[in-house]
Amino acid sequence: MEDLGRGASYTVPCDDYVHVVEFSPFDSGSAASLLAYGGNQYVVVGTCRFQEEDMEVEGVEFATLRVFHHALRVDCLAWSPESRLDKLPQLIRFCTAAADRKVRLLTSDLQNQHEVKVMEGHTSYINHLVFEPTEGKQIASVSDDHTCRVWDLEGNETTTFRLRSPGVSVCWHPEDAFKLMVAEKKGTIRFYDLVTQQAILSLDCGQSPLMSADWCLTNTIKVGAVTGSDWVIWDITRSSYPQEKRPAHVERAGNFRWSRVNENLFSTTGCPGKISSQLLVHHLGHPQPVMIGSATVGAGLSWHRSLPLCVIGGDRKLSFWMTEM
């Protein structure tokens, strides 16, 4: 590709390499968005405001709320819907996974109450985790150990689903707390009913490895994934095979994420290359990506909850890309 892509709309400097970054998808009661990013031994939690939301802001304004010590490098992170900034005491709650195969639940009132709960059970690398989005009282995690596990906040494993290959992504239905989507590296995505503990539906990529999948929370009949160097999208009411499939990245693709504001907008990243990694923003109505961004060795990918804006982490910085709708 001749066009290496445009630079970020905004950047925020960080002290270290950023391995993971997540906007909270939930309303925290604040006008600013909660954002967390993780590095080698810490998680920074802060708030973001962008000029698109607030005339007073030039570009982006990032305010750090707290830096949490983390024993190891953070590999993945998920926000709890219980995080609130508009009540006293304030509450920040999120969970992380690291190479020691443990899930950590971190809770803070941003004053002097800080709690870390460690959840043990996985026997291999944890690839993704998510909170139940309505109440936030459960966490689901997927791992290379061929399981999806559901935990309560006390650290008890309440449900285990045995998978046929490594679990790469897990998503919870936005309204139905009993439906879970689990994507496996071999190319299968299954939907589970947590009451009966049975699979109720499965989708097939028709190819592997499946690296990342996401459930479109603004229109839950849509599921997207990256497999090999392609992106694929299903309409789950129509077929277990993808409705659309396109090559996206020159080498293997890494992440797939739906926008939270437009059911036709999604982004993919290439696996971090030697020099740069590509962020592509796609619109289902357009044959070509609507935006190509280039970032030095990007890690993580997350969309803002109300703007067509996504963030990726990198070497001592966060990079934000705004997409014209």
Side-chain angles (χ1 to χ4, degrees), residues 2-319:
E2 289 295 305
D3 179 12
L4 285 171
R6 66 179 175 93
S9 312
Y10 313 117
T11 55
V12 168
C14 309
D15 286 344
D16 192 3
Y17 189 88
V18 177
H19 291 285
V20 59
V21 56
E22 292 289 341
F23 276 116
S24 171
F26 307 110
D27 179 8
S28 67
S30 160
S33 294
L34 278 173
L35 178 113
Y37 65 89
N40 287 324
Q41 287 185 317
Y42 67 91
V43 175
V44 175
V45 168
T47 58
C48 277
R49 287 286 279 168
F50 297 91
Q51 64 184 32
E52 284 78 4
E53 306 170 281
D54 186 341
M55 306 285 286
E56 308 282 295
V57 173
E58 271 187 52
V60 60
E61 207 169 78
F62 182 82
T64 301
L65 294 172
R66 182 174 156 83
V67 179
F68 293 81
H69 177 73
H70 196 274
L72 297 112
R73 180 182 120 176
V74 182
D75 291 325
C76 41
L77 184 148
W79 276 101
S80 163
E82 292 190 283
S83 296
R84 299 296 297 189
L85 296 175
D86 58 343
K87 296 192 177 83
L88 287 175
Q90 293 178 318
L91 179 69
I92 291 290
R93 178 170 279 163
F94 59 94
C95 62
T96 63
D100 60 359
R101 311 184 287 278
K102 293 172 186 166
V103 173
R104 285 172 177 80
L105 172 66
L106 292 92
T107 306
S108 171
D109 65 359
L110 299 177
Q111 300 291 316
N112 37 29
Q113 293 285 34
H114 310 292
E115 208 184 307
V116 182
K117 184 114 206 141
V118 179
M119 307 182 184
E120 299 186 50
H122 280 297
T123 58
S124 188
Y125 195 83
I126 299 166
N127 292 308
H128 195 211
L129 30 69
V130 65
F131 274 86
E132 188 281 308
T134 56
E135 308 265 308
K137 300 299 185 196
Q138 298 176 88
I139 296 165
S141 55
V142 287
S143 159
D144 281 354
D145 67 10
H146 295 211
T147 65
C148 170
R149 297 173 197 239
V150 180
W151 317 79
D152 65 19
L153 299 193
E154 293 307 306
N156 303 306
E157 201 177 305
T158 56
T159 307
T160 306
F161 295 112
R162 307 257 160 235
L163 312 177
R164 290 165 205 182
S165 65
V168 293
S169 297
V170 58
C171 301
W172 222 300
H173 191 284
E175 287 100 35
D176 187 340
F178 300 107
K179 289 203 176 66
L180 204 59
M181 183 196 97
V182 178
E184 297 188 31
K185 198 166 189 176
K186 268 192 180 157
T188 306
I189 297 174
R190 285 191 187 82
F191 295 82
Y192 292 95
D193 181 319
L194 286 169
V195 181
T196 63
Q197 306 210 351
Q198 299 296 312
I200 41 182
L201 177 73
S202 70
L203 306 175
D204 189 351
C205 276
Q207 64 189 70
S208 67
L210 192 166
M211 298 303 289
S212 167
D214 198 21
W215 202 347
C216 181
L217 300 185
T218 51
N219 181 354
T220 52
I221 67 166
K222 291 181 178 182
V223 170
V226 283
T227 167
S229 58
D230 301 338
W231 60 257
V232 289
I233 286 172
W234 292 263
D235 169 340
I236 65 175
T237 61
R238 291 204 180 170
S239 166
S240 61
Y241 287 98
Q243 222 192 336
E244 289 214 47
K245 175 181 154 184
R246 294 244 165 87
H249 297 272
V250 182
E251 290 175 24
R252 199 190 282 178
N255 286 309
F256 182 107
R257 293 285 183 273
W258 289 103
S259 148
R260 302 183 195 283
V261 292
N262 181 330
E263 64 171 79
N264 292 311
L265 202 61
F266 61 95
S267 56
T268 60
T269 55
C271 277
K274 291 178 180 64
I275 304 160
S276 70
S277 93
Q278 233 182 11
L279 165 77
L280 301 179
V281 176
H282 314 264
H283 190 287
L284 278 175
H286 298 263
Q288 297 298 324
V290 290
M291 205 230 32
I292 300 172
S294 174
T296 48
V297 202
L301 172 63
S302 183
W303 284 90
H304 190 278
R305 59 180 288 273
S306 56
L307 292 172
L309 173 130
C310 47
V311 60
I312 57 179
D315 190 10
R316 295 191 293 279
K317 68 178 177 197
L318 298 174
S319 301

